[in-house]
Amino acid sequence: MGLLTLVKNKALLFLGLLSFGIILKYIVIEDLEVITEFEKSLERLNQNLIKDVNNFQRKENATLLTLARNSELYEIVNTVLNYENKFNGIYQYPWVFLNDEPFSDKFKNTITRLTSGPTYFGEIPKEQWDMPESIDVGRAEASWGEMAMRGIIYGGKKSYRQMCRYYSGFFWKHPLLDSYKYYWRVEHDSNLLCNIKKDPFTELREKNKTYGFVITIKEIAATVPSLWNTTMDFVATYPELVAPNNLWNWISKNEGRDYSLCHFWSNFEVADLDFFRSDAYQKYFDYLDNAGGFFYERWGDAPVHSIALSLFLDKDQILFFKDIGYEHSPIIYCPTNNKHCSCDVAYGDLKDSNSCIYKYLQVTEGI
């Protein structure tokens, strides 16, 4: 039976090309006996291929999401090729790309050719991206200048603050995400280091989890000086929103008086969008937004997401994807079990008692 008669759809063709790249070196073999044996081997591989694809036919109601600019096309191409090779080439999930300006035809045509699933390109509404009229521009710009002088990363950038605010309070409201339950944030210039053997979306659903992460680190204290106090004011106003079995002992220190600075590194997150759509999260974001800290300071979406997840969810609803290797400069997470990974150095923070991941595992697994 020929390969093309078995490869009936894009997924099979994609896997077929990956699995049978060695075919070319055999086509010049003229010995009939060798060719016959090769065809038998090919048939066995074809049957295994069909079995594997059938196992992947169930997909979740999910999408990948990337915020990007036209000028970032080169980095995005590398990231898309990596995610397609390590994960999405098999599952063919849709991929949504958002920009604060229209995508160019070059960007859209290039990306569409590289993705195995459908691609959608959207523009962020100006009212969600622009700085709110309530912000004192002079005060904000003075803060940016002071942070830049102190060498704080992105301290002087308005656009970075706009991105953080958008990811904190608006991304799930874009019409292109309305129909999805789960999303996977993919940052440009990031890479998966391992072949993904199990669909992370399915893992969330089967384990009844709301949020999944790979890396957790500490925030720069100078970027969030008033975030914790603002959060405690919110909690005092809405105590009923705090989950009883939460991650309080991870997200706070000094008996709750201070923020631990730990956060899930949100440039990689796989999440149930219903959490961000919830009344608790919307109220929390609105409270923070009214305080102005996204622009007067440099509140990031990572600490905002992490504090909300830690307070409003049961701690058992959060999942550490221990077997997914991930790289976003300057940090690399390589699993201890890295047989299917292009890295060989395990994540050192797992053994550091002062690290956020060590403390997280203490709180959730009692290590």
Side-chain angles (χ1 to χ4, degrees), residues 147-250:
M147 284 192 179
M149 288 288 290
R150 293 168 61 188
I152 296 172
I153 187 170
Y154 308 124
K157 296 194 69 171
K158 176 184 177 182
S159 60
Y160 184 81
R161 290 171 167 82
Q162 291 173 297
M163 181 272 291
C164 289
R165 178 174 178 262
Y166 183 75
Y167 261 132
S168 293
F170 297 104
F171 78 91
W172 65 91
K173 296 180 180 180
H174 197 284
L176 289 177
L177 272 73
D178 282 349
S179 62
Y180 298 110
K181 180 172 177 60
Y182 299 106
Y183 103 111
W184 182 340
R185 174 173 168 179
V186 179
E187 197 77 0
H188 79 279
D189 205 19
S190 66
N191 287 292
L192 296 174
L193 301 177
C194 308
N195 295 324
I196 307 301
K197 294 300 182 181
K198 184 167 185 179
D199 185 344
F201 298 123
T202 298
E203 200 165 356
L204 283 189
R205 178 182 57 79
E206 290 181 344
K207 294 182 177 179
N208 194 30
K209 306 293 185 181
T210 298
Y211 185 89
F213 72 96
V214 167
I215 294 172
T216 174
I217 57 175
K218 290 187 177 180
E219 182 59 289
I220 301 169
T223 66
V224 290
S226 68
L227 177 58
W228 187 250
N229 287 339
T230 305
T231 297
M232 291 302 95
D233 291 343
F234 174 83
V235 168
T237 305
Y238 299 100
E240 70 279 5
L241 298 180
V242 179
N245 186 37
N246 60 31
L247 280 172
W248 177 263
N249 290 332
W250 178 73

Side-chain angles (χ1 to χ4, degrees), residues 5 14 18 51 53 62 98 109 123 126 159 179 184 190 208 226 240 245 278 290 315 328 366:
T5 61
F14 186 86
L18 288 177
K51 181 180 179 181
V53 171
L98 299 180
N109 292 337
E123 189 172 351
K126 296 295 183 185
S159 60
S179 62
W184 182 340
S190 66
N208 194 30
S226 68
E240 70 279 5
N245 186 37
S278 69
N290 288 333
K315 63 184 179 183
H328 186 56

Side-chain angles (χ1 to χ4, degrees), residues 215-219 250 261-265 331 347 349 356:
I215 294 172
T216 174
I217 57 175
K218 290 187 177 180
E219 182 59 289
W250 178 73
L261 299 178
C262 288
H263 65 270
F264 305 117
W265 214 27
I331 299 177
Y347 192 42
D349 281 2
C356 290

Side-chain angles (χ1 to χ4, degrees), residues 11-288:
L12 283 170
L13 180 57
F14 186 86
L15 284 172
L17 292 172
L18 288 177
S19 300
F20 307 129
I22 58 172
I23 292 175
L24 289 176
K25 73 178 185 180
Y26 284 96
I27 61 175
V28 297
I29 298 176
E30 297 181 356
D31 187 277
L32 182 59
E33 188 174 322
V34 174
I35 292 175
T36 302
E37 184 60 34
F38 173 71
E39 287 181 337
K40 290 179 180 178
S41 298
L42 183 60
E43 175 67 18
R44 290 193 294 269
L45 288 170
N46 277 330
Q47 293 302 324
N48 290 335
L49 175 62
I50 291 175
K51 181 180 179 181
D52 288 343
V53 171
N54 287 338
N55 289 336
F56 290 132
Q57 282 184 346
R58 170 161 188 175
K59 292 198 300 187
E60 306 299 330
N61 180 20
T63 185
L64 283 68
L65 171 69
T66 297
L67 258 62
R69 287 199 164 104
N70 293 314
S71 60
E72 296 167 337
L73 179 58
Y74 176 76
E75 294 91 338
I76 291 293
V77 163
N78 288 334
T79 297
V80 168
L81 288 173
N82 171 264
Y83 273 73
E84 289 293 326
N85 181 41
K86 300 292 187 183
F87 169 71
N88 205 45
I90 294 175
Y91 294 93
Q92 300 183 337
Y93 279 108
W95 204 321
V96 173
F97 293 86
L98 299 180
N99 193 348
D100 63 309
E101 60 185 23
F103 281 110
S104 67
D105 288 341
K106 178 181 179 181
F107 188 101
K108 292 187 288 187
N109 292 337
T110 301
I111 296 301
T112 300
R113 290 189 180 101
L114 298 177
T115 53
S116 57
T119 51
Y120 304 99
F121 301 91
E123 189 172 351
I124 297 170
K126 296 295 183 185
E127 64 272 16
Q128 296 178 357
W129 186 260
D130 290 345
M131 193 161 62
E133 293 182 358
S134 60
I135 295 296
D136 181 332
V137 176
R139 176 185 168 189
E141 290 180 345
S143 173
W144 306 347
E146 188 266 340
M147 284 192 179
M149 288 288 290
R150 293 168 61 188
I152 296 172
I153 187 170
Y154 308 124
K157 296 194 69 171
K158 176 184 177 182
S159 60
Y160 184 81
R161 290 171 167 82
Q162 291 173 297
M163 181 272 291
C164 289
R165 178 174 178 262
Y166 183 75
Y167 261 132
S168 293
F170 297 104
F171 78 91
W172 65 91
K173 296 180 180 180
H174 197 284
L176 289 177
L177 272 73
D178 282 349
S179 62
Y180 298 110
K181 180 172 177 60
Y182 299 106
Y183 103 111
W184 182 340
R185 174 173 168 179
V186 179
E187 197 77 0
H188 79 279
D189 205 19
S190 66
N191 287 292
L192 296 174
L193 301 177
C194 308
N195 295 324
I196 307 301
K197 294 300 182 181
K198 184 167 185 179
D199 185 344
F201 298 123
T202 298
E203 200 165 356
L204 283 189
R205 178 182 57 79
E206 290 181 344
K207 294 182 177 179
N208 194 30
K209 306 293 185 181
T210 298
Y211 185 89
F213 72 96
V214 167
I215 294 172
T216 174
I217 57 175
K218 290 187 177 180
E219 182 59 289
I220 301 169
T223 66
V224 290
S226 68
L227 177 58
W228 187 250
N229 287 339
T230 305
T231 297
M232 291 302 95
D233 291 343
F234 174 83
V235 168
T237 305
Y238 299 100
E240 70 279 5
L241 298 180
V242 179
N245 186 37
N246 60 31
L247 280 172
W248 177 263
N249 290 332
W250 178 73
I251 204 66
S252 68
K253 63 180 182 180
N254 299 329
E255 298 180 348
R257 290 191 296 272
D258 300 306
Y259 175 29
S260 69
L261 299 178
C262 288
H263 65 270
F264 305 117
W265 214 27
S266 59
N267 51 70
F268 176 108
E269 62 181 13
V270 183
D272 185 337
L273 288 166
D274 288 343
F275 172 76
F276 298 109
R277 295 166 177 149
S278 69
D279 182 62
Y281 187 85
Q282 188 62 60
K283 284 181 176 177
Y284 180 56
F285 169 74
D286 289 344
Y287 198 92
L288 297 183

